Amino acid sequence: MSQGPSLRLATRPRLKSTGEYGGSRPPGKARGSGRRRKAAARLTVFGVVQGVGFRPCVYRLARRLGFDGWVENTGSGVEIHVEGPSAAALEKFPAALRRGLPPLAVIENLDFRAAAVEGFRGFEIRKTRDAGGFVFISPDIATCPECLKEITTPGERRYRYAFTNCTNCGPRYTIVRDLPYDRPRTTMAGFAMCPDCRREYEDPLDRRHHAQPIACPVCGPRLTLNDARTGRALGGAVPKAAELILKGKILAVKGLGGFHLVCNPFDRKAVARLRRAKARRTKPLALMARDIGVVERFAAVGPAERRLLQSPRRPIVLLKKKKDIAFIAPNLDEVGFMLPYTPLHHLLLERLELVVATSSNAKDAPIMKDEEEGVRKLCDAVLAHDRPIAMRADDSVVKVAGGRPLFVRRARGYVPYPQPVPKGLRVDATLVALGGEFKNTISLYKNGYVVTSQFLGDLDDYRNFGYFEETLAHLLRLFDARPEAVVTDLHPDFRTTRYAEKMGLPHYRVQHHFAHVLAPLLEHGHQPGRRVLGVALDGYGYGEDGTAWGGEFLLAGYDGYERFARFKPVPLPGGDLAAREPWRMALAYLDEAFGAALPDLAVIRRVGRRRADAVLKMVHGGVRSPLASSCGRLFDAASFLAGTAPERMEFEAEAAMRFEAAADKAFRGVYPVPLSSPGPGRPMDISFGPLIRTLVRDIEKGTPVSVVSARFHDSLAGLVLRVAERARRAHGTDTVSLAGGVFLNRRLLERTEKRLAAKGFRVFRPVAYSPNDESLSLGQIARGLARVKNGGS
């Protein structure tokens, strides 16, 4: 994925003189009989170059250099024609353009070629050419310093205006309906510009030139504040909203990609009411702070976290707690903070230094973008506006591991940034990958790039599946895509698999953990032809043999994989219930480790002898107890045995997150995890019986939970290294791909990366994407491209 402006010249010929190109001025194209031009060039620019002030930048540069010609948006990027005094002068244009790019522009490819002189006089920005193609759109970007200064400076015409924006900031992806990116194709189409806005919009030297969401208090969107139950208008808008929050009320506040539910984090009754409204007993709530100084009072902010918090993308950043706020992130050692990213947020936070700002959705449903979707049931008042949202998007959530981003959720601010595909994988076909079933995303491949959607949630909820269909249609329309093949997970009963079967396209199915492993390879530009050791640790994925996988070591390349090692399968008592009730997995692992001589542990006594005996009977009889090699379930078991997990989890990975939070920061040794020697053609089975027995002995003798957790985490990090070393000796693999939701565990990821790097391994892990199931669609694209390149095999 592109991390910033870049420039690659596809061709760079020496330009010839006018005489060599015919030199005559074509009829109807002259702009006067002024200066004689000796050379001309045509540039086609591909990347994030629409809606980001790119054309005005080109205009200003051409004027400064004294070049004539034009620039226009097309269906495939931006086209530029420049005429100058000499070939040598024109050849300096691309480098000068790169140096002066607008903040949000990203050039992925630039084709520079000689052209015939057409005799233009002056330089102009042409009207967008309406044609199909493939062009990128910028993500939504936080309010820039210039706009923030305007809304806080008395006398400015946008003083305290909640929808102030320019070409360097404001809504993009969430308001665009179609490309090329022009106002009539956005949700601003219904707002006619006043003369002042029109003048700014049409002035190439103004920073609002062709800023499609441009608005002001005279002609733009307006705020409303209404009582949620009666619909009665409440005067005062932002000041009144702040007053209500201070009085303990819950407000729904309409943002870029949907509504936030907002309340005072220090008002325990308000937070408790909010949790009841969302059916969210313990799951962490996000906070929005007025400024970085407020954040630093409550959490530790390192340099990398600071950069993320203050970046134009404005994600929620998970930070280590310094001062706990009750009921916001219970039982965890980290809390999520973000800074204001719209003018409305800035105005609201003038009066409130800190608020809860969580997505306005019913449990497991997508974020609400319209009042009609039921947001009034969740709050006391609604602070809304009349600018429609074309595409809903949650806030992105990220933490820092090893000095680099680790995404928990990739959405607003990062979508739909393009990801270049390694050259050896590129094909002419267009592909779409539909992801899995949980934490879903969609990825679209076209012309050498992948665009991955925002987080779509779990598709077992019909509302999220509607969101999936809405997003798929939006992406195909936005990027003028007509897929020639579709890729999904191997699982036959996933909704995405069934949906793909009805699309009437060649359908490729990719094993879950294989897709996980391929995603970091594609992201980091790994070329085909050399295998890696893929380490995929998660809760569940449908295996080639029809069983549940989740602790996998794969020798993999884009063309296929073999299973090198796996966690030894253990029963899941109660099937899906085992993923929600950690005590079930604790019993399964105790039975595996001790057999009939189960230790008498306090945590098991709390479960009750009757329930424990019933579960053990299921395990021994093989009743509703499928086998699984799941790393996620191993974490659940260890967390429960150590006393950090609840009997029933409210949200996925709750037990593992609590266990990680309890870990001592120091190295406290490791538990034994022996490696076996597998038979021919079989993967190595990794048994955790010895680890569980030693961990239980620690618990019985009163070893602090912090030490138990530290040893467990370091045992897994050491295990990955040992398996990687064995694979290197046997197969020469010196690259490791780390993937799967378990690697959202910061301690495990950092210590695994560090150990591997110290032994000379090259480590790929997701940086621009999440290691969880959000990355499946990206890995599916990688495998789909390899299949297409090999003729479908």
Side-chain angles (χ1 to χ4, degrees):
M1 177 178 178
S2 300
Q3 298 301 314
S6 62
L7 184 75
R8 294 195 293 274
L9 301 185
T11 57
R12 191 183 178 184
R14 294 291 300 178
L15 299 183
K16 299 181 181 180
S17 70
T18 302
E20 290 174 288
Y21 276 92
S24 61
R25 184 177 292 152
K29 292 188 178 181
R31 292 293 183 269
S33 56
R35 297 161 291 180
R36 175 178 172 78
R37 289 310 195 187
K38 296 182 179 180
R42 186 67 58 90
L43 296 84
T44 301
V45 187
F46 182 64
V48 182
V49 290
Q50 293 194 14
V52 293
F54 186 78
R55 287 181 298 168
C57 169
V58 172
Y59 174 89
R60 291 190 291 269
L61 177 62
R63 289 276 299 269
R64 179 166 59 83
L65 297 176
F67 293 167
D68 300 319
W70 48 262
V71 59
E72 71 175 355
N73 281 346
T74 71
S76 57
V78 170
E79 198 83 11
I80 306 168
H81 180 88
V82 286
E83 298 182 359
S86 68
L90 290 181
E91 287 177 349
K92 296 177 181 177
F93 189 81
L97 180 60
R98 176 177 59 184
R99 288 193 299 269
L101 279 178
L104 305 184
V106 177
I107 294 177
E108 287 290 341
N109 190 63
L110 187 151
D111 179 61
F112 180 82
R113 59 198 182 277
V117 173
E118 301 183 17
F120 292 99
R121 186 176 183 183
F123 197 90
E124 67 177 6
I125 297 177
R126 286 184 167 180
K127 186 178 179 181
T128 295
R129 192 194 315 164
D130 193 359
F134 186 45
V135 67
F136 299 128
I137 184 71
S138 166
D140 303 287
I141 296 297
T143 307
C144 70
E146 290 85 356
C147 285
L148 184 57
K149 183 177 179 181
E150 286 179 334
I151 66 174
T152 56
T153 302
E156 288 281 355
R157 75 184 194 92
R158 291 185 175 87
Y159 176 58
R160 309 198 68 72
Y161 182 56
F163 305 94
T164 301
N165 66 83
C166 69
T167 54
N168 296 329
C169 69
R172 296 290 189 277
Y173 178 64
T174 55
I175 64 167
V176 66
R177 290 191 167 117
D178 206 351
L179 289 179
Y181 178 68
D182 281 316
R183 194 177 180 98
R185 295 179 174 88
T186 74
T187 60
M188 287 297 294
F191 296 91
M193 281 183 264
C194 68
D196 286 335
C197 284
R198 174 63 64 181
R199 184 176 64 254
E200 293 170 327
Y201 183 85
E202 294 178 350
D203 181 0
L205 301 180
D206 194 286
R207 83 173 197 279
R208 291 194 169 91
H209 178 67
H210 284 204
Q212 306 307 335
I214 187 173
C216 75
V218 174
C219 63
R222 298 186 179 184
L223 289 171
T224 57
L225 180 64
N226 297 94
D227 184 276
R229 278 169 288 282
T230 66
R232 179 174 61 88
L234 304 173
V238 174
K240 182 65 175 179
E243 178 188 323
L244 291 172
I245 292 168
L246 287 172
K247 289 181 176 179
K249 302 298 183 183
I250 299 169
L251 265 68
V253 179
K254 189 175 181 181
L256 292 178
F259 282 90
H260 279 131
L261 293 179
V262 176
C263 74
N264 181 355
F266 305 108
D267 187 323
R268 295 189 179 189
K269 290 183 179 178
V271 173
R273 285 203 303 122
L274 177 58
R275 286 194 172 280
R276 286 196 298 271
K278 284 177 62 85
R280 193 171 186 169
R281 292 182 298 106
T282 58
K283 192 173 182 179
L285 299 171
L287 299 169
M288 181 180 285
R290 178 190 297 159
D291 54 44
I292 195 75
V294 175
V295 177
E296 289 176 322
R297 287 189 1 232
F298 296 95
V301 183
E305 285 96 349
R306 180 182 295 271
R307 285 193 296 272
L308 283 166
L309 281 166
Q310 296 181 324
S311 76
R313 319 247 176 258
R314 285 292 200 276
I316 297 169
V317 182
L318 300 182
L319 305 168
K320 293 293 184 181
K321 292 178 181 176
K322 278 169 52 177
K323 181 180 179 182
D324 192 33
I325 304 174
F327 306 126
I328 299 300
N331 306 305
L332 302 178
D333 65 341
E334 59 186 16
V335 61
F337 278 93
M338 61 181 151
L339 296 178
Y341 56 84
T342 71
L344 178 56
H345 295 149
H346 284 285
L347 294 171
L348 191 61
L349 270 292
E350 282 181 348
R351 298 166 172 82
L352 304 161
E353 68 171 15
L354 188 65
V355 295
V356 170
T358 186
S359 299
S360 62
N361 58 315
K363 186 175 174 62
D364 299 326
I367 187 172
M368 298 178 186
K369 68 182 182 71
D370 301 309
E371 289 185 62
E372 297 73 23
E373 293 177 336
V375 71
R376 294 177 184 174
K377 298 176 183 177
L378 304 176
C379 62
D380 301 305
V382 180
L383 182 60
H385 55 77
D386 54 353
R387 183 180 68 203
I389 296 172
M391 178 47 58
R392 69 189 82 218
D394 280 287
D395 295 313
S396 294
V397 182
V398 65
K399 63 176 81 172
V400 172
R404 298 190 295 170
L406 177 62
F407 278 87
V408 178
R409 182 172 72 200
R410 179 179 176 272
R412 178 198 51 77
Y414 295 90
V415 173
Y417 250 58
Q419 169 65 52
V421 167
K423 288 184 179 180
L425 267 187
R426 295 181 184 182
V427 300
D428 292 333
T430 298
L431 277 69
V432 64
L434 305 185
E437 184 87 344
F438 306 106
K439 294 181 171 56
N440 202 53
T441 62
I442 297 164
S443 285
L444 174 68
Y445 169 84
K446 184 177 178 181
N447 293 359
Y449 290 85
V450 181
V451 172
T452 299
S453 76
Q454 68 275 27
F455 164 85
L456 302 175
D458 298 346
L459 302 190
D460 56 353
D461 186 289
Y462 75 94
R463 294 162 295 190
N464 285 328
F465 191 76
Y467 186 18
F468 161 84
E469 292 180 304
E470 173 186 309
T471 303
L472 176 60
H474 185 69
L475 289 174
L476 296 181
R477 181 176 65 254
L478 200 59
F479 297 107
D480 190 31
R482 298 169 184 82
E484 295 156 70
V486 59
V487 196
T488 67
D489 193 86
L490 187 65
H491 200 300
D493 294 326
F494 277 2
R495 287 159 182 78
T496 46
T497 306
R498 293 174 178 173
Y499 188 92
E501 289 170 347
K502 299 174 183 177
M503 291 178 71
L505 297 171
H507 180 193
Y508 305 132
R509 301 183 186 188
V510 184
Q511 198 281 324
H512 189 95
H513 302 94
F514 184 30
H516 265 312
V517 166
L518 293 184
L521 301 190
L522 189 151
E523 177 187 345
H524 294 287
H526 182 75
Q527 293 294 337
R530 189 168 178 83
R531 290 198 300 179
V532 306
L533 177 69
V535 183
L537 305 181
D538 66 1
Y540 169 80
Y542 188 80
E544 295 275 6
D545 57 5
T547 66
W549 293 9
E552 310 303 319
F553 297 82
L554 310 178
L555 291 170
Y558 296 115
D559 57 346
Y561 75 94
E562 62 178 283
R563 207 175 182 191
F564 180 71
R566 64 172 184 175
F567 286 14
K568 183 181 177 182
V570 172
L572 302 178
D576 288 345
L577 266 180
R580 296 192 290 271
E581 298 180 349
W583 62 272
R584 292 172 178 267
M585 289 312 304
L587 282 168
Y589 270 100
L590 288 174
D591 184 67
E592 173 76 14
F594 292 95
L598 253 63
D600 183 28
L601 297 175
V603 289
I604 301 300
R605 288 199 299 272
R606 285 199 294 272
V607 170
R609 191 75 260 168
R610 187 174 177 182
R611 282 198 297 169
D613 287 345
V615 162
L616 289 171
K617 187 176 181 181
M618 291 170 63
V619 168
H620 297 153
V623 178
R624 293 182 59 222
S625 298
L627 295 176
S629 58
S630 170
C631 185
R633 302 294 75 79
L634 172 65
F635 262 93
D636 292 347
S639 179
F640 190 80
L641 291 172
T644 57
E647 282 191 24
R648 186 176 179 88
M649 295 190 294
E650 180 195 344
F651 56 93
E652 186 184 22
E654 181 179 9
M657 290 167 67
R658 291 191 186 191
F659 197 38
E660 179 190 5
D664 193 306
K665 303 300 180 285
F667 178 74
R668 295 294 185 179
V670 297
Y671 293 125
V673 186
L675 297 183
S676 64
S677 297
R682 293 180 58 83
M684 175 171 53
D685 269 342
I686 300 169
S687 172
F688 288 94
L691 179 149
I692 294 295
R693 286 193 290 272
T694 315
L695 182 149
V696 166
R697 282 199 292 272
D698 266 355
I699 293 168
E700 288 177 326
K701 64 185 182 184
T703 302
V705 172
S706 60
V707 173
V708 172
S709 177
R711 288 176 179 168
F712 178 87
H713 283 83
D714 288 328
S715 299
L716 288 189
L719 169 66
V720 172
L721 173 61
R722 289 160 57 217
V723 175
E725 289 180 318
R726 183 173 286 198
R728 181 163 60 184
R729 289 193 297 270
H731 301 281
T733 52
D734 58 2
T735 300
V736 179
S737 174
L738 303 178
V742 168
F743 282 114
L744 284 172
N745 184 308
R746 190 189 336 235
R747 182 189 179 98
L748 177 63
L749 178 61
E750 288 180 338
R751 299 202 173 208
T752 302
E753 278 193 284
K754 186 175 181 180
R755 282 166 169 74
L756 288 168
K759 293 297 183 178
F761 287 96
R762 186 182 186 190
V763 182
F764 291 145
R765 63 93 160 167
V767 175
Y769 299 86
S770 175
N772 68 24
D773 282 6
E774 289 183 38
S775 66
L776 286 179
S777 66
L778 184 68
Q780 289 168 358
I781 286 287
R783 178 58 181 146
L785 291 173
R787 294 274 311 259
V788 171
K789 204 167 184 69
N790 293 328
S793 61

